[in-house]
Amino acid sequence: MFKQAVQGKIVKFFLGGSLSAFLNIILMIVLIERLGFDSPTLRNIANIISMEISLIAGFFIYRLLVWTGGSWNLHDVLLKQLPLYHISATAAILSRILIVFPILDWLKVNYVINTLIGVLVSFTFNYVISDRLIFRYPSSLGKKAGIDNINYPEGLSPVLSNYSRSPSTNSPGSSQPIGKFSIVIPAYNEEGCIVSTVTLISQTLEKVGISYEILVVNDNSRDRTEELLQQLNAQNPKVRYINNYYPNGFGFAVRCGLENFSGDAVAIVMADNSDSPENMIDYYQKLQEGYDCVFGSRFIKGGKVVDYPIHKLIVNRLANWFVQVLFGLPLNDTTNAFKAYRKEVIEGISPLLSHHFNLTVEIPLKAITRGYYYCIIPITWRNRTTGVSKLKLKEMGSRYLFIVLSILLEKHLSRGDYVKKQTPLVGQSKNN
């Protein structure tokens, strides 16, 4: 297993290096052919510019493909990892030019073989330095979060790292036990799946004896959603629904549900059956251990996604990487709505501002910034099989950015006015 993981890292490193080299060539062509860097001096400048940009691009390609664990703290990335990577890449190039090539020339090795061996040695040198010295230094963030300093790559299927490690000695243990567990489900025109979603959740929670309520917020649906909810309530009094009294929108519907649930804790669940009911049990158990919040990630060991549209996957990983770096978080799936919170957390992060899907980012980031205990566990996500997704990527970019930046300002400028006064535990980054 370990050998396969190392081989996978090497292949990804090679692919990342190829992408970086390709970018270098493209930049050189653009600078020389398009922008007129055609004199000897300007060609040298073009070479420096293209090499520097491709080196930086290569660094982030490697961080996204090969060494995605460890610290994404902005200070660590800009002032430690990136400079060290420059040294590593420069040393690899110099080893090829000053050592490998002269020795092979002296041995009268064919220039083609000479070049291939030089590239291979340089590649190996760069990989070893990067793997052993740059991305494995101890990280205070990693220690706080209980993360190994061995930084294995994340992926769509189970991988070798586990962000959810939470030694029992660091378990909070001081919070009150959870009595009733509420499930809040926003629903807009979900007649094709709302019955199966609610039924599966109730059956799963009943089976393990969890006291629960399922609160569906009908977001002014135009189909038979409300009629079906009436039938579900008649069959099971633990299932109830309310009509959204705010304007239409995912964020408004969730906010309506968070103002009306009656449990000691709440999980936000999608109506399309994409979230695993078994993971709701996992959330409940972690909350019982004393955590204030439980965040699921689809992109750590044990996590899984099924039938994720590729364009959404790319946007998802870039957006989550941006948030992860900006806040220095161990959490790599902030944008996913499926998370659980104690009632006092919801009260502590109110009032909520988001009208739309950016609420999925606002709630966890506020909880983390304000100092609530959290842990991260792997979850499973499946793409909907009926109905139409309500998320419109083109409409959400600026709204996500607004919420992220507003919370970032709170983190750095509020002087801890909103922070819960407590000692951070496993899985929590204290953002004072």
Side-chain angles (χ1 to χ4, degrees), residues 220-235:
N220 301 301
S221 300
R222 299 177 183 177
D223 60 3
R224 297 178 57 245
T225 297
E226 184 173 4
E227 177 186 339
L228 295 173
L229 291 173
Q230 291 172 348
Q231 296 174 10
L232 287 168
N233 175 250
Q235 297 167 6

Side-chain angles (χ1 to χ4, degrees), residues 287 291-295 340-342 345 367-368 372-375:
L287 290 168
Y291 290 102
D292 297 317
C293 320
V294 187
F295 301 145
Y341 309 88
R342 286 179 173 266
V345 177
I368 293 170
Y372 289 96
Y373 297 147
Y374 70 87
C375 67

Side-chain angles (χ1 to χ4, degrees), residues 30-39 41-43 45-46 49:
V30 170
L31 290 170
I32 294 173
E33 300 293 335
R34 300 290 183 181
L35 300 181
F37 284 63
D38 51 3
S39 69
T41 301
L42 290 177
R43 282 176 181 268
I45 294 174
I49 293 173

